[in-house]
Amino acid sequence: MPLNDKTVLVKPVIKRNGITLTLLGFIALIIGIAFFLNGSHLFAVGIVFFALGAISTVLGISKLIEPEVTIKLTAEGLTYFHRRGQLFVSWNNIQRFDQPRVVNGLDMISLPYIGIKLKLIAPILDSISLRLAAGLLTEQRPLLMTASTQDEDLSTLENQMSAEFTPFIEEGDRYKGVLAMFGHRTRLLGSHLGYHIYISTDALDRSGDEFISLLNAFRKAQN
């Protein structure tokens, strides 16, 4: 089937073993509690089982609450599914995509994201929910830290971050509140790291290079 008539669903690797981790966590928690109840001489062992059980349970549940499908590719564009909502990017609004790379000493390292460089930010702000925008702002803190290490003039970055509390204006459209903050953040990351939208490679079912090749093939099929 030609790609311009095809839909591809990406199911994340991070979902794997979610049920197993959760069950093992519950079992370890029960064992830990049992050790607590059977005397103080088993308290240390109980602590170990309880701690491991709590960690395993949290990790397992965090996997289970992730969407079954994280990315859908169609003739119209790319839809990114997040536990807080979804984000649609049309092919004609994408300038390019790749894995972002940054300087680390004398080396270039790839970040664990797929970066999407947009032509316009406004279409994203028109479709994204406030809940998802707020969630992505929180998740993007590591990217902000990375951007700060790449910019020799930190005052420029600080000024751009301060602008997040002002209205965001693009092509005559004006946004306030969370949408304005997300718009400014998107523009800031675009100017410092080269891309506006970032999808974690944990959301993929294949390597970053393979996914980028798939995106290129899909976009080319729409031309």
Side-chain angles (χ1 to χ4, degrees), residues 116-161:
I116 302 174
K117 186 175 180 63
L118 303 171
K119 295 177 182 177
L120 291 172
I121 298 173
I124 302 299
L125 301 181
D126 290 334
S127 62
I128 193 172
S129 68
L130 295 179
R131 185 167 178 263
L132 178 55
L136 292 179
L137 283 169
T138 301
E139 293 179 6
Q140 288 171 348
R141 286 173 182 167
L143 288 169
L144 274 181
M145 296 295 292
T146 301
S148 69
T149 65
Q150 301 297 300
D151 198 333
E152 295 181 359
D153 185 5
L154 290 180
S155 61
T156 301
L157 181 63
E158 290 172 355
N159 290 336
Q160 290 177 321
M161 291 180 66

Side-chain angles (χ1 to χ4, degrees), residues 4-19:
N4 55 0
D5 297 323
K6 188 176 181 182
T7 296
V8 172
L9 302 178
V10 174
K11 298 185 178 182
V13 173
I14 196 173
K15 288 280 293 183
R16 296 174 186 172
N17 303 320
I19 294 176

Side-chain angles (χ1 to χ4, degrees), residues 125 133 137 140 161 163-168 175-187:
L125 301 181
L137 283 169
Q140 288 171 348
M161 291 180 66
E164 290 187 353
F165 301 97
T166 64
F168 178 84
Y175 302 88
K176 297 181 179 180
V178 174
L179 290 182
M181 293 181 69
F182 186 72
H184 283 296
R185 177 71 60 82
T186 301
R187 182 179 286 168

Side-chain angles (χ1 to χ4, degrees), residues 72-98:
K72 180 171 74 172
L73 304 177
T74 64
E76 290 73 33
L78 176 154
T79 304
Y80 171 48
F81 297 95
H82 188 278
R83 62 182 179 276
R84 291 175 175 266
Q86 64 186 61
L87 175 66
F88 175 75
V89 187
S90 64
W91 296 118
N92 59 17
N93 192 32
I94 295 177
Q95 191 169 337
R96 63 188 174 95
F97 33 69
D98 202 346

Side-chain angles (χ1 to χ4, degrees), residues 16-75:
R16 296 174 186 172
N17 303 320
I19 294 176
T20 302
L21 274 174
T22 304
L23 288 176
L24 289 175
F26 276 125
I27 292 170
L29 285 172
I30 293 171
I31 293 174
I33 293 172
F35 278 129
F36 292 153
L37 297 176
N38 277 278
S40 59
H41 63 290
L42 296 174
F43 185 82
V45 179
I47 283 289
V48 173
F49 271 94
F50 192 86
L52 291 176
I55 293 171
S56 180
T57 302
V58 169
L59 288 176
I61 293 175
S62 68
K63 286 175 177 285
L64 292 175
I65 64 175
E66 291 295 325
E68 288 293 332
V69 173
T70 47
I71 297 168
K72 180 171 74 172
L73 304 177
T74 64

